[in-house]
Amino acid sequence: MTKFLLEVTLDDGPLAADPVGELQRILRYWGGNLRHYPLRPGDASVIHDSEYREVGRWSVAGQAG
């Protein structure tokens, strides 16, 4: 089974102040940017908030194959 995982910490900065707005921005950005990745197990990238602070990551987990 292959899974796409998106993990974002909501405890600080813009995400704590406006979690819905920040998550919408993150999902819009990464939704458009994913075309640059083959989305194979092991693919991953960090996620930044609107202040460009690292707040999480996405990854593709599973067995290559």
Side-chain angles (χ1 to χ4, degrees):
M1 178 186 306
T2 304
K3 294 182 179 185
F4 179 86
L5 307 167
L6 179 97
E7 185 174 24
V8 177
T9 301
L10 303 174
D11 299 333
D12 273 335
L15 278 156
D18 182 14
V20 172
E22 282 292 306
L23 286 172
Q24 286 175 327
R25 187 195 64 76
I26 287 167
L27 291 170
R28 275 192 312 270
Y29 176 82
W30 280 107
N33 198 42
L34 286 173
R35 70 177 183 267
H36 300 291
Y37 297 87
L39 294 180
R40 295 186 187 117
D43 287 348
S45 185
V46 297
I47 295 171
H48 297 91
D49 67 11
S50 59
E51 294 177 354
Y52 300 102
R53 296 180 317 155
E54 188 174 322
V55 294
R57 69 188 314 263
W58 67 261
S59 62
V60 178
Q63 295 186 356

